[in-house]
Amino acid sequence: MLHLDGRSLRLTDLLAVADARRPVSLSPEARARMVETRAVVDRAVDRGAPVYGINTGFGKLSEVTIPLEQLTALQRNLVRSHAAGVGDPLPEREVRAMMLLRANVLATAYAGARPDVVDTLLGMLNTGIWPVVPEQGSVGASGDLAPLAHLALALIGEGPARFGDREDLASVFMTEVGLTPVTLAAKEGLALINGTQAHTAVAGLACAELIRLWGIAHVATAMTLEALLGTPDAFDARIQEARGQLGQAESAALLRVLLGGSEIRESHRFGDPRVQDAYALRCVPQVHGPALDALRFTRDIIERELNAATDNPLVLATGELLSGGNFHGQAVGMASDMLAIITANLAVISERRIDRLVHPDFNQGLPPFLAASPGLESGHMMSQVTAAALASECKLLAHPASVDSIPTDGNKEDVVPMAMNAALKLRRSVRNLRHVLAIELIAGAEALEHRRPLRSSMAVEAAHALVRAQVAPASGDRSPAPDIARLGAAMASGAFDSLTTSVVI
């Protein structure tokens, strides 16, 4: 059981709940804090003085005071009117991550919501009910208003949800599992939709996969280097020390571990006329290394946001209500843009390595396009084309979304970060990278078999076995698409993690 306290959530927890369905509860400490700040909200209601989010309109309409008897309707109308999303629904894992983060931000107790709201939300999460949330409609300004409103609409029983393979009103499924839809009290509608949890959920899961793919990119590099009879001399620790870049040094160290003890390397250590390899092989630490540095930086931003109080106004146990802008999504929006740049660079250099594996002018005597009967068969020709298409799209997706701004809400929200757009394009870019690396590993495994009976390092041979567990050796032309998808899925599920445990990101 994961106990939410609003303070200590990590990316590993996000993955455990989103993918492994780890059960979640509200910690006693967080429950006590929530009771305390809820009392602050109740006292504000009793006083009757205008307080934003409690007894006023919202955004441009914040000057309108709402009578006491209409406060419940105010919160319900807020949720209904803001559920304006369009497009494809977010996948289940991202919605589960969003539900977890929304519960955690309420557990900070800064929102002034009742513990019952969190209990019901976690009840849905633990029983497998997940709201249908369209992925488009958020500018990330006053938070992810539209996506979070769709989540809240399900929580109050009015919105659609999925349960197993069925879709219906959330209230239908809640009745089946013994849950009661929430009746919103003062401020609770705003507490549910104000915040950064939609784009942070998407970006957090994408970041976690990118961390995994960073390690796999080194495994693919090692296999390709061996297949192309390349030299690991460029990964010498002294070269990295002379520059002093930390990520570069760690990237080179991982490559040295992966390549240590190779028979293939010893077979061409002497007598090879080449002085140095192409950049796609020789400069891997100089490309993968900065990616590691940036990954660590962006991961820290996202992990801080997992526990951020992003409501407005913030409710303090002292009795104060502070109006600010913690809902603004610039932090994770910019982090997502940086992660997309990392992804593009890893995809581009991997595609160049794939090209060298299949290009008859560059692949050190391997068959053209790794085909058994070149001409009659095309081998991996189109796989390289697919990798080129994916890498090119990654470049387009690396264009930053967080530098854009279109004023909204009657110009009240006049500087917006487009953080959800940044997170969604990051998700697509990471998927592209997964498939580019899958193509490199498939081609690398095929090429490595042309160097038999020589064996590579223990790590590369282990990687070869992992590829072969998903993809059979070529025996004439066949559609590469199922192989790429199957290996990509295995990579995403952690099949290669044991080969990169020496690096902690």
Side-chain angles (χ1 to χ4, degrees), residues 231-261:
T231 174
D233 289 355
F235 312 144
D236 190 298
R238 292 166 294 184
I239 295 175
Q240 324 315 319
E241 290 167 4
R243 191 174 196 185
Q245 292 290 354
L246 300 181
Q248 176 181 324
E250 291 188 57
S251 173
L254 177 55
L255 287 168
R256 292 196 301 272
V257 169
L258 292 170
L259 291 163

Side-chain angles (χ1 to χ4, degrees), residues 229 262-272 451 454:
L229 305 179
S262 166
E263 291 180 4
I264 294 176
R265 168 55 181 156
E266 294 307 315
S267 73
H268 65 95
R269 182 181 291 276
F270 305 103
D272 190 333
R451 305 304 181 189
L454 294 174

Side-chain angles (χ1 to χ4, degrees), residues 299-457:
R299 175 213 56 197
D300 289 349
I301 291 174
I302 291 171
E303 284 206 322
R304 286 193 293 270
E305 196 70 8
L306 301 184
N307 301 289
T310 57
D311 198 5
N312 180 54
L314 295 181
V315 183
L316 306 186
T318 59
E320 298 169 274
L321 289 97
L322 301 180
S323 185
N326 277 1
F327 45 64
H328 198 281
Q330 196 75 31
V332 175
M334 290 181 70
S336 297
D337 284 337
M338 182 175 288
L339 289 168
I341 292 171
I342 295 168
T343 306
N345 278 282
L346 294 178
V348 165
I349 195 170
S350 175
E351 185 280 325
R352 288 294 79 202
R353 293 192 297 266
I354 295 166
D355 182 68
R356 300 194 80 82
L357 284 168
V358 302
H359 198 307
D361 293 342
F362 302 137
N363 66 5
Q364 298 299 307
L366 295 171
F369 304 104
L370 303 178
S373 299
L376 175 64
E377 298 172 3
S378 295
H380 292 261
M381 180 187 294
M382 281 308 299
S383 293
Q384 184 268 328
V385 174
T386 297
L390 295 173
S392 179
E393 185 178 47
C394 285
K395 296 178 191 177
L396 294 175
L397 295 169
H399 178 82
S402 61
V403 299
D404 188 22
S405 180
I406 298 177
T408 59
D409 188 25
N411 216 45
K412 185 85 168 185
E413 300 167 2
D414 57 343
V415 179
V416 306
M418 302 299 179
M420 192 65 172
N421 288 351
L424 291 173
K425 70 183 182 65
L426 168 63
R427 177 228 281 163
R428 184 175 178 90
S429 190
V430 169
R431 184 184 66 186
N432 288 349
L433 174 61
R434 183 201 313 152
H435 290 142
V436 171
L437 291 173
I439 291 169
E440 182 178 2
L441 284 165
I442 292 169
E446 191 74 28
L448 200 65
E449 289 164 5
H450 287 277
R451 305 304 181 189
R452 300 300 189 219
L454 294 174
R455 311 291 290 183
S456 183
S457 65

